[in-house]
Amino acid sequence: MLTGEANAADDLAADALVALWQRWDRLREAEHPLAYARGVVANMARERIRAATRERRRIALFWSRGPQEVQNPDVAAVMDVRAALDRLPFRKRACVVLRHAFDLSESDTALALGISVGAVKSQTSKGMAELERVLGARAAGNVAAGRVSR
């Protein structure tokens, strides 16, 4: 009843059992162990609902920007940039793409990725520096200008 889905309830029950096993001393010492266990389940269900809500917001923010057509794209450059982006670790790549290709603000990027604005600034800067090393300043500038097709 907490999750609204049988599969999610099964996962929640399994996760709660693991959490209770890891905190067995607390459970044994609790005045009302069953109430303690129910509280763990309820808290875990609440966190799952919050996480799902945050994820829906991130997805909505990510897809709220419509695609923009690029006139006469340089296909070779696009392939080079995509290959260079694939070499970046996920967080750097995500920050660079969201900030420059999707033109999201630092705060919107932070919200979409669930990280701080400072982390967005740092990861974007490091990612762009890495792209410049791999591609040279001209190609990295194309990423920053959003001239790479999505």
Side-chain angles (χ1 to χ4, degrees):
M1 285 204 233
L2 290 174
T3 64
E5 298 177 20
N7 291 338
D10 290 343
D11 291 344
L12 179 63
D15 291 344
L17 284 173
V18 170
L20 288 167
W21 179 73
Q22 290 172 338
R23 299 180 191 103
W24 191 254
D25 292 340
R26 289 186 205 168
L27 180 68
R28 268 196 351 220
E29 294 172 6
E31 188 174 329
H32 301 285
L34 187 57
Y36 181 87
R38 287 179 178 149
V40 167
V41 171
N43 287 335
M44 292 179 89
R46 183 181 317 113
E47 181 51 38
R48 281 178 181 256
I49 291 167
R50 287 179 180 162
T53 301
R54 284 191 303 268
E55 184 65 18
R56 281 193 299 273
R57 286 181 186 151
R58 289 179 188 143
I59 289 169
L61 177 65
F62 183 77
W63 292 110
S64 67
R65 310 273 183 185
Q68 298 173 350
E69 291 297 319
V70 176
Q71 299 298 323
N72 301 320
D74 182 349
V75 176
V78 169
M79 299 302 290
D80 290 344
V81 169
R82 285 187 178 179
L85 284 168
D86 284 344
R87 294 174 57 179
L88 293 178
F90 174 78
R91 188 175 285 181
K92 286 180 188 174
R93 179 174 59 244
C95 287
V96 168
V97 169
L98 292 177
R99 288 282 296 125
H100 296 294
F102 285 90
D103 200 30
L104 293 183
S105 68
E106 290 168 343
S107 60
D108 285 345
T109 300
L111 178 64
L113 297 176
I115 60 177
S116 70
V117 172
V120 169
K121 291 178 182 181
S122 171
Q123 295 296 301
T124 302
S125 175
K126 290 175 182 177
M128 289 301 292
E130 216 168 306
L131 287 176
E132 285 181 20
R133 277 193 303 278
V134 171
L135 298 170
R138 181 176 158 262
N142 286 339
V143 172
R147 287 184 283 230
V148 177
S149 70
R150 292 168 182 84

